[in-house]
Amino acid sequence: AVVSTQSTGELVENEREKHELQNQNIIKSTKDWQQKYLDLEKEFRIALYLENSRYEKLHSSQTKLAGYMSQARDELKRMRGEDSRKGGVIDKLKRSVGEQSEMIDRMRKCKDEVM
């Protein structure tokens, strides 16, 4: 048998101190991990807030652009209608000018025949 210079009480006390140190290390490690988790959660919440802000701005811009596009389509439709009406007026004027030219030519012929 090996003769120990330490008494049983001293051995128990040494083991208790080792376990206490292990427990303190575990508690410290747990607190460190909890803090890291809280920091990560905070960072995630900030990222969500910023992303939500960015989304709201983009959505607002998209809504405004959709309104502008609708107005532009309406204006284009109106202008095409005006162009169509103006084209009709121009065609009538061309026919009228042609008819007046023919009438002037006939009047000149009549005048020449009279003279």
Side-chain angles (χ1 to χ4, degrees), residues 11-35:
L11 289 172
V12 169
E13 183 61 27
N14 286 341
E15 283 301 311
R16 191 191 65 72
E17 286 175 4
K18 277 195 237 177
H19 285 288
E20 183 64 30
L21 185 60
Q22 286 176 341
N23 282 340
Q24 287 174 359
N25 287 338
I26 290 170
I27 290 170
K28 182 184 181 317
S29 178
T30 302
K31 286 181 180 180
D32 288 347
W33 282 109
Q34 285 174 334
Q35 187 60 48

Side-chain angles (χ1 to χ4, degrees), residues 55-104:
Y55 171 80
E56 286 176 358
K57 287 177 186 174
L58 286 173
H59 182 69
S60 174
S61 294
Q62 186 270 335
T63 301
K64 286 178 186 175
L65 286 173
Y68 295 148
M69 288 298 295
S70 178
Q71 290 174 350
R73 275 189 227 104
D74 293 345
E75 186 65 16
L76 178 62
K77 187 176 180 180
R78 185 188 66 74
M79 292 175 82
R80 283 183 176 162
E82 281 182 18
D83 284 351
S84 178
R85 284 188 295 278
K86 289 176 182 177
V89 169
I90 289 171
D91 289 342
K92 286 180 184 177
L93 285 172
K94 284 180 184 178
R95 276 186 252 122
S96 178
V97 167
E99 290 170 2
Q100 287 177 0
S101 283
E102 289 175 12
M103 191 183 307
I104 290 171

